Amino acid sequence: METIDACKALVQTFQHFQGKTALDWGAWLGVRHHPSRTDYKIYVQVKSPYSQALQNWIFPYLEDFPLESHRWQLQAIGQVLASNQREFYFDLKASTFDEQTLSAILQPVSAQTQATPLLNLMRAVRSKSGSASFPQTTYGFSYAFSPGERQPIISIFATSDGYIGSDMFVRQHVLSAAAQHKWDFSAYAECTTPIARDLFSTHFHNVLGFLLLPNGKLGFHVSLSPVFAVPGVRRYP
């Protein structure tokens, strides 16, 4: 009952933030299952000009950080019901990514010293040769603040097909990076076996996320649609 009441209250708050602006996708509910609990997260789209109520809601975390600039624009907000963790999602306006862009993202939360490890992770997933350049694709980033914490989880996002290529190549690069960093991606490897030789498909991998945690450790996230049969897409035994 408490979860339902909290969800209703948050939905009302978010509806107030959106107002009567025409939206593209509006909102969705995320569900994450853990061994001991299930977390729910509400995501909502927001558009400029941003309401004063929304700016006030964000201010305790990002203070005078610009929600829109020549580099980026706030596109969505999210909150986990159980922990009240808040996350703010920005789209980068340019289709390129470089060290200067990353520095501008890290500077407001005093994380500039972690730029090199994060860039190295992005390069390691992008290219086995560690190429210094990044491809043209859609990029974004987010700050996720937990209650009482001043240092957020910082995520850099890139669309997987533009960043690497087809599902087959994304899978190869992800598993190579996982082996290099000693990450356990066995479940990912198993569930993506049907597309291991799907040279042309781009249906299943969505977004790659490169994370910088408050303790300085790095993380990696893969957004993957269910690997089910899709008309016109070949499947292999």
Side-chain angles (χ1 to χ4, degrees):
M1 183 63 68
E2 289 182 3
T3 300
I4 295 175
D5 291 341
C7 184
K8 289 181 178 178
L10 190 59
V11 167
Q12 291 177 348
T13 298
F14 283 174
Q15 287 177 331
H16 183 55
F17 292 163
Q18 290 178 324
K20 297 182 180 181
T21 305
L23 302 169
D24 301 311
W25 53 269
W28 77 78
L29 177 67
V31 181
R32 179 171 294 180
H33 298 291
H34 301 272
S36 60
R37 71 181 193 279
T38 298
D39 288 340
Y40 300 91
K41 187 172 184 177
I42 298 178
Y43 303 83
V44 298
Q45 181 185 14
V46 292
K47 283 190 172 183
S48 177
Y50 306 110
S51 69
Q52 189 60 51
L54 173 60
Q55 295 179 56
N56 293 342
W57 192 76
I58 295 175
F59 183 82
Y61 301 89
L62 292 177
E63 297 184 349
D64 294 324
F65 181 79
L67 303 184
E68 183 175 11
S69 71
H70 69 284
R71 291 181 184 266
W72 54 66
Q73 183 171 354
L74 180 69
Q75 291 288 350
I77 57 176
Q79 180 166 323
V80 178
L81 293 179
S83 70
N84 290 324
Q85 182 196 66
R86 296 181 180 182
E87 191 160 7
F88 313 115
Y89 300 86
F90 297 80
D91 276 353
L92 289 177
K93 295 182 177 180
S95 60
T96 56
F97 193 87
D98 53 29
E99 295 183 24
Q100 290 74 27
T101 301
L102 181 59
S103 178
I105 294 170
L106 299 181
Q107 189 275 331
V109 290
S110 303
Q112 304 95 307
T113 58
Q114 301 298 319
T116 297
L118 190 53
L119 285 169
N120 288 342
L121 173 62
M122 296 179 68
R123 288 169 178 147
V125 174
R126 157 68 180 161
S127 171
K128 296 176 183 178
S129 63
S131 173
S133 61
F134 296 104
Q136 289 192 348
T137 189
T138 301
Y139 291 95
F141 65 96
S142 74
Y143 303 115
F145 290 89
S146 296
E149 297 288 338
R150 297 301 301 172
Q151 193 64 29
I153 298 172
I154 304 167
S155 301
I156 307 298
F157 301 107
T159 51
S160 57
D161 56 348
Y163 197 73
I164 295 176
S166 70
D167 287 311
M168 182 185 79
F169 289 113
V170 174
R171 183 179 188 271
Q172 291 176 359
H173 282 245
V174 167
L175 291 178
S176 176
Q180 178 183 346
H181 290 83
K182 295 181 171 57
W183 296 329
D184 182 5
F185 267 51
S186 56
Y188 165 84
E190 182 177 354
C191 76
T192 57
T193 297
I195 56 175
R197 293 184 288 164
D198 222 332
L199 179 60
F200 301 107
S201 169
T202 57
H203 295 286
F204 302 109
H205 290 91
N206 304 310
V207 174
L208 304 176
F210 308 91
L211 282 63
L212 176 62
L213 307 182
N215 60 8
K217 292 185 178 181
L218 300 176
F220 180 61
H221 167 81
V222 182
S223 173
L224 184 74
S225 297
V227 184
F228 298 141
V230 174
V233 178
R234 292 178 297 167
R235 284 291 165 267
Y236 301 94

